[in-house]
Amino acid sequence: MKNFSLNQLAALLNAEISENSTQQFTGLNHLDAATSDQVSFIGSSKYTKNYATSGAGAVVINENLKHLVSGAIPLLIVKNADLAMAKLLSLYEPDAPEFETEISDRAYIHPTAQVGSGCKIGPGCYVGARTVLAEGVTLYPNVTILDDCSIGTRTTIWSGTVIRERSVVGAFCIFHNNVSIGADGFGYRPADDGSGLVKIVHIGNVIIGNGVEIGANSCVDRAKFASTIVGDGCKIDNLVQIAHNCILGRCCIMAGHSGLAGSVTLGDGVVIGGSASIKDHTTIHSGAVVAAGSGVMGDVAAGKTVLGYPATDSRDKLREWAAVRKLGKA
C-alpha cells in the first residue's frame, strides 16, 4: 500500500497547507465517502457545503474557494484542484498487471516481424508479417496486429484490440480494450442493374500520432485511399466512431458515443461532446466546441461553440429554446 504524508503531498502539488497533520494518506475518495487516511477535493463551490461533514483526512481545494469552508480538516490549497487531483491519481495509480515472461511462448510473432528491446507481449497475441514494434511496446493478452504495421515506442495496447494491416501508430499511445484500428471503411453504392449494393473497397490506411489515447470499443476506419489521420495528443473516449478519410488535428477531444462520418476534418484542439454526430465532408476548425448531443451539418468556424440538432451558434440556440418555452407557456 502506498503511503504519503501531508507534507509530501503538499510538495508534489506545490500546495499551501492550512494546518499540519501527522496522518499518512493511502488514497483518494469522494467527499462524502472519504475516510481519515484518504484525500478528497473541492474544485467547485457546489461542493463546499459537504466539507464540514466529510470524513476525509485532507481536502485539496481551489484557492478561490478556501474562504467558503471552515472546519478541522486540513486543506491543500492550490490554483486548480482538478489538475492537482490528476497528479495525486498518478501518484496512487496501482501497478500494471504483471507479465510472467516478457514475451509469452503462447503468442505468435511472424518470423519477419521486428520486436524492439523491452517489449512485453502477452499470451494469445498475434504480430503479423513485417510488422515493427519499437522499444518498450506492451501488448496485453489477445491483441492482434496484422501485417505491415508500425507501433511506436512505449505504446500500450490492451486486450482485445485489433490493428489491421498497414496501420501506423506513434509513440506513447494507449489503446484500451477492444479498440479497432484500420477496419474497412463503410461505403456502398447502388448497382447499375438494380441488383443490390456495390461494396467500395478501402485500400488506404490509418495513421495515429504520438501520445494518442483511445477508449474501449472505439473504432478508427482506414481510408478509401490515402490515410485516416489522428493527430498527436488526441484523446478519444469509449464507443467513438472515426470514419474513413477523417483527419484530426492535434489534441482533439471526442467524448463517448460521438461519431465522425467520412472525410470529416477537425482542426487543432477541437472538442466533440458526447453523442454528437458530424456529417461527412465537414470541417470543424481549430478550437471549436460541439456540445453533447448535437448534430453538425456544415462547417464550424474556429473557436465557435455550436449546440443543437442541427447545430447552430450556442447562444442563438439557447435564445431560440427560451423563446419556444415561453410560447409553450403562453
Side-chain angles (χ1 to χ4, degrees):
M1 182 179 292
K2 299 179 180 180
N3 290 274
F4 299 95
S5 69
L6 188 66
N7 286 331
Q8 286 175 314
L9 297 182
L12 173 70
L13 302 178
N14 194 26
E16 174 190 345
I17 302 174
S18 65
E19 59 182 280
N20 291 322
S21 169
T22 59
Q23 177 70 53
Q24 292 289 309
F25 295 95
T26 62
L28 315 171
N29 213 330
H30 299 289
L31 272 172
D32 56 358
T35 56
S36 60
D37 63 343
Q38 294 177 321
V39 180
S40 193
F41 79 112
I42 298 175
S44 166
S45 59
K46 176 180 178 181
Y47 299 104
T48 54
K49 64 181 182 296
N50 298 331
Y51 168 82
T53 57
S54 176
V59 173
V60 177
I61 190 169
N62 283 357
E63 61 184 7
N64 64 335
L65 300 176
K66 65 180 181 180
H67 66 285
L68 298 177
V69 299
S70 60
I73 303 173
L75 298 176
L76 290 161
I77 302 164
V78 296
K79 289 183 178 180
N80 188 315
D82 288 329
L83 292 178
M85 287 301 292
K87 289 183 179 180
L88 293 185
L89 287 167
S90 296
L91 186 66
Y92 285 105
E93 183 179 15
D95 295 334
E98 295 182 4
F99 283 73
E100 291 185 4
T101 59
E102 284 198 344
I103 299 179
S104 171
D105 59 7
R106 289 184 286 160
Y108 175 80
I109 302 172
H110 193 277
T112 62
Q114 299 177 39
V115 178
S117 63
C119 288
K120 295 180 180 181
I121 302 177
C125 289
Y126 179 98
V127 180
R130 298 171 300 280
T131 282
V132 177
L133 306 184
E135 295 180 0
V137 169
T138 299
L139 308 182
Y140 283 97
N142 301 314
V143 167
T144 297
I145 304 178
L146 294 179
D147 301 357
D148 300 299
C149 291
S150 174
I151 311 297
T153 301
R154 294 185 62 183
T155 282
T156 299
I157 303 174
W158 288 89
S159 299
T161 292
V162 176
I163 300 179
R164 291 281 300 271
E165 58 276 17
R166 304 184 306 281
S167 296
V168 178
V169 177
F172 303 98
C173 294
I174 301 172
F175 296 167
H176 293 279
N177 298 19
N178 302 312
V179 165
S180 171
I181 303 294
D184 205 11
F186 184 75
Y188 298 89
R189 290 293 182 273
D192 289 339
D193 60 6
S195 60
L197 296 174
V198 175
K199 179 176 176 60
I200 298 174
V201 175
H202 289 65
I203 64 172
N205 74 336
V206 172
I207 299 176
I208 307 285
N210 300 320
V212 172
E213 185 164 358
I214 300 181
N217 298 296
S218 290
C219 303
V220 184
D221 292 345
R222 69 173 177 249
K224 187 183 299 182
F225 40 78
S227 302
T228 302
I229 299 173
V230 179
D232 293 348
C234 287
K235 309 300 180 186
I236 311 299
D237 198 358
N238 301 338
L239 296 165
V240 169
Q241 163 67 9
I242 298 174
H244 61 88
N245 289 97
C246 288
I247 298 176
L248 280 65
R250 297 176 61 256
C251 298
C252 296
I253 295 174
M254 293 186 64
H257 289 162
S258 61
L260 308 181
S263 299
V264 169
T265 298
L266 306 185
D268 295 341
V270 169
V271 177
I272 307 293
S275 298
S277 303
I278 315 300
K279 180 184 177 294
D280 59 299
H281 297 275
T282 297
T283 298
I284 300 179
H285 292 276
S286 295
V289 176
V290 178
S294 298
V296 175
M297 307 301 288
D299 292 355
V300 177
K304 191 171 185 178
T305 298
V306 295
L307 170 66
Y309 207 106
T312 57
D313 180 273
S314 59
R315 292 166 297 183
D316 293 341
K317 182 61 70 174
L318 290 171
R319 283 192 289 266
E320 176 186 320
W321 287 346
V324 170
R325 189 177 296 113
K326 288 179 181 178
L327 286 173
K329 294 178 180 179

